[in-house]
Amino acid sequence: KQWYQRRVRGGCELPVNASYTLHLLAGNHARINFRETALDVDAVAALKLYDECLSSHQQFSTVDSPKTTHIKPGEEDAITSEKIDSDIEEFYGRVVNFCTTYNPGFVVNNEQ
């Protein structure tokens, strides 16, 4: 019921090909990082990018992500790999929280 209310309240409808798009995004993120196989971090990065696109287009985030402020000219030096890693870890926590809230049987597999 909560998931239905969130969808109705936010008006968020995921496209039929969302799963395929996420699969491609994760695979491409792995290739950008010189890996042949996508890891959990690639899937989380794909989810983060997809969620940011949805939230900017529909003004609604499935996992309650804060609205992203894009980099303004002159602020490029403020973005570091540590900041990106921190953002990904924070987003991963929101995804796990979302999954466990709406699917109590959800189990995180931390094997790599």
Side-chain angles (χ1 to χ4, degrees):
K1 183 177 177 183
Q2 290 175 339
W3 169 245
Y4 175 77
Q5 288 173 341
R6 286 176 66 121
R7 288 184 61 192
V8 170
R9 180 171 34 100
C12 179
E13 289 291 330
L14 293 178
V16 174
N17 61 352
S19 177
Y20 180 69
T21 301
L22 288 168
H23 172 79
L24 290 177
L25 284 170
N28 288 327
H29 188 269
R31 282 190 279 289
I32 287 171
N33 288 285
F34 306 106
R35 290 190 297 271
E36 291 183 23
T37 305
L39 303 175
D40 290 350
V41 69
D42 301 310
V44 173
L47 283 169
K48 182 168 175 35
L49 177 62
Y50 198 81
D51 185 65
E52 287 180 3
C53 290
L54 280 179
S55 64
S56 68
H57 182 264
Q58 299 181 354
Q59 304 302 312
F60 175 79
S61 170
T62 306
V63 293
D64 296 327
S65 295
K67 187 162 175 72
T68 303
T69 304
H70 296 282
I71 303 170
K72 296 176 184 160
E75 295 181 357
E76 297 88 1
D77 294 338
I79 302 299
T80 62
S81 60
E82 291 82 14
K83 169 85 170 100
I84 293 169
D85 290 345
S86 171
D87 288 349
I88 292 289
E89 286 178 22
E90 180 184 333
F91 182 78
Y92 178 76
R94 284 197 300 273
V95 169
V96 169
N97 183 43
F98 175 85
C99 291
T100 55
T101 299
Y102 295 102
N103 181 8
F106 179 79
V107 177
V108 177
N109 181 2
N110 289 326
E111 295 179 20
Q112 289 197 18

